[in-house]
Amino acid sequence: MQDRPYPTLAAAIRIWARIGLLSFGGPAGQIALMHRILVEEQRWLGEKRFLHALNYCMLLPGPEAMQLAVYIGWLMHRTLGGIIAGVLFVLPGVVAIMALSWIYALYGNAGPVEALFFGLKAAVLAIVVQAVLRIGSRALKNGAMLAIAAVSFVAIFGFAVPFPLIILIAGLTGYFGARAGLPAFHDGGGHGKVGKVQVDDADTLLGAESPEHTQVNRAWAFRISAVFLMLWLTPVALLFGLLGPANVFSQIAGFFSVMAVVTFGGAYAVLAYVAQEAVQNYGWLAPGEMLDGLGMAETTPGPLIMVTQFVGFMGALREASGLSPLMAATLGGLLTTWVTFTPCFLWIFLGAPFIERLRDNKVLTAALTAITAAVVGVILNLAVWFGMHVVFDQVTTVTGIGLNVDVPVLASVNLPALVLVLAAVVAVFRFRTGTLTVLLSCAAVGVALGIAGLL
């Protein structure tokens, strides 16, 4: 290790607070922001160490950008540093989404608010389509990956196969394909360069060698795992025991705890799963409201998966018993956030010391490559689902021979929505307009259309 001191904890807190407040633009933008501030500006760690941490976080369920913050915070200042980094990364989003959820619950049907979210939905649809193409261009590098993506799309869109099952089958396909020596499962591929500036680890405060506290310590791993398992699962067990499994708080705690374990593939894949379950199975909110929540998450700092807080808020708002609706909704939103993000700390503190042993495992890489391909199909399902509910006022369900497919009623096309979606798509793909600019512009157009009486 180098003799130069690490940044002080106070300095780290200031930097993590800054990152948390500026973390707009989804995972890619947040990771790029951290790279620019931590690697290029502060020179706390170098390119290789940053990418090593990122590669590990890509393997995990949950929001990779938030987990990357926890990982780097842990590298710098042990467990306390990781907790501070993770909390400050998500705290601005928690506050912003909660405030917007209250406004939505109180005034969501008011003309200006409804028009605002009308515009946001069009922008969100364009952004999701962009995500499909961006991830697909990286993941679908051969026929086998393309086939996995196609089968995954048909499975979830046409047959409502659960997202976790799709991910499991894709992972096993990649695993056994690599074990069998099939060339298609050995293409691998990295995550690419995060930034343009290459910073040598030897020139940073955290050098190429690992600090002593990052070494494998099984006793410490057992203790930290027990602590975070208790923090995560004790509230879930208490809710099931005291309120029963049919209570909305128990359902929220159970569903989002499962989601925290199975949601590989990034925020958009997670949202497809959440939308399917929260809208169709639990009935916590309507399809249009799911889009409204995604619009909130896109326009506020913090992980995109923070939209789950809105889902829990609306579910508890409508099924509250014994509490005022807004009090129940607030508790439901905070409960959702707790069980969604607490496991992220567990994955980092437990797994990071062991990750060196798995870094060059080709079979594991093949499994993850196949999962990423399946995620492309799942996100495409999300784009189609969003598109139907944004552009058309009516959607019907066609069933038969095992199929269960939503089909838009063509006569119900919403022309203002269609025009705004096309404009957002042109802005994103033709002019490469930034995410926040597209969202704010579409929101402004929506409000203007509402004032003009065109909605």
Side-chain angles (χ1 to χ4, degrees), residues 47-349:
E47 189 81 21
K48 291 181 180 179
R49 184 171 288 283
F50 183 90
L51 289 176
H52 172 59
L54 176 60
N55 287 340
Y56 173 54
C57 295
M58 289 287 192
L59 308 181
L60 301 174
E64 61 267 31
M66 182 264 193
Q67 290 164 339
L68 179 61
V70 176
Y71 193 117
I72 297 173
W74 168 75
L75 280 176
M76 293 289 178
H77 296 104
R78 303 174 181 265
T79 306
L80 178 61
I83 293 172
I84 290 172
V87 169
L88 290 178
F89 188 80
V90 301
L91 187 59
V94 171
V95 175
I97 294 293
M98 184 59 70
L100 289 172
S101 298
W102 270 70
I103 293 171
Y104 189 88
L106 292 171
Y107 307 109
N109 292 325
V113 175
E114 192 171 6
L116 174 76
F117 282 100
F118 173 87
L120 285 176
K121 290 174 187 176
V124 166
L125 178 56
I127 292 166
V128 173
V129 172
Q130 182 188 42
V132 174
L133 297 178
R134 185 178 65 244
I135 298 172
S137 65
R138 297 175 182 174
L140 309 182
K141 295 183 177 180
N142 56 52
M145 297 302 111
L146 187 61
I148 290 173
V151 170
S152 299
F153 170 76
V154 172
I156 195 168
F157 180 77
F159 297 93
V161 176
F163 172 72
L165 182 58
I166 292 173
I167 293 301
L168 175 62
I169 293 174
L172 291 174
T173 301
Y175 175 83
F176 287 110
R179 289 287 299 269
L182 299 178
F185 295 95
H186 286 282
D187 288 352
H191 300 292
K193 294 180 181 179
V194 178
K196 296 180 180 179
V197 179
Q198 297 290 322
V199 179
D200 191 338
D201 287 55
D203 295 330
T204 61
L205 293 178
L206 185 65
E209 297 182 16
S210 296
E212 185 176 348
H213 71 269
T214 65
Q215 303 303 311
V216 173
N217 183 328
R218 286 179 171 78
W220 178 84
F222 177 80
R223 289 195 300 271
I224 201 70
S225 300
V227 168
F228 276 93
L229 278 171
M230 288 181 62
L231 288 172
W232 171 22
L233 296 179
T234 298
V236 179
L238 288 174
L239 288 169
F240 272 83
L242 296 175
L243 303 179
N247 184 273
V248 65
F249 292 109
S250 301
Q251 291 178 339
I252 288 171
F255 171 67
F256 287 105
S257 290
V258 172
M259 188 202 74
V261 177
V262 302
T263 47
F264 296 89
Y268 289 106
V270 173
L271 292 175
Y273 176 45
V274 171
Q276 181 186 51
E277 296 296 316
V279 174
Q280 299 176 10
N281 294 345
Y282 288 102
W284 288 334
L285 67 177
E289 292 172 334
M290 184 70 193
L291 282 165
D292 293 339
L294 185 55
M296 292 181 192
E298 290 275 15
T299 51
T300 53
L304 188 59
I305 197 60
M306 192 63 71
V307 66
T308 57
Q309 178 175 286
F310 174 74
V311 175
F313 182 98
M314 296 302 294
L317 178 75
R318 288 172 173 148
E319 299 187 31
S321 58
L323 293 171
S324 70
L326 283 174
M327 176 59 72
T330 301
L331 293 175
L334 294 176
L335 173 63
T336 302
T337 298
W338 182 262
V339 298
T340 298
F341 290 100
T342 301
C344 296
F345 295 97
L346 173 62
W347 310 144
I348 296 299
F349 295 145

Side-chain angles (χ1 to χ4, degrees), residues 418-443:
L418 177 60
V419 172
L420 192 53
V421 167
L422 292 176
V425 168
V426 171
V428 168
F429 289 98
R430 175 65 179 85
F431 299 103
R432 301 187 182 278
T433 308
T435 297
L436 191 58
T437 302
V438 172
L439 287 161
L440 294 177
S441 300
C442 287

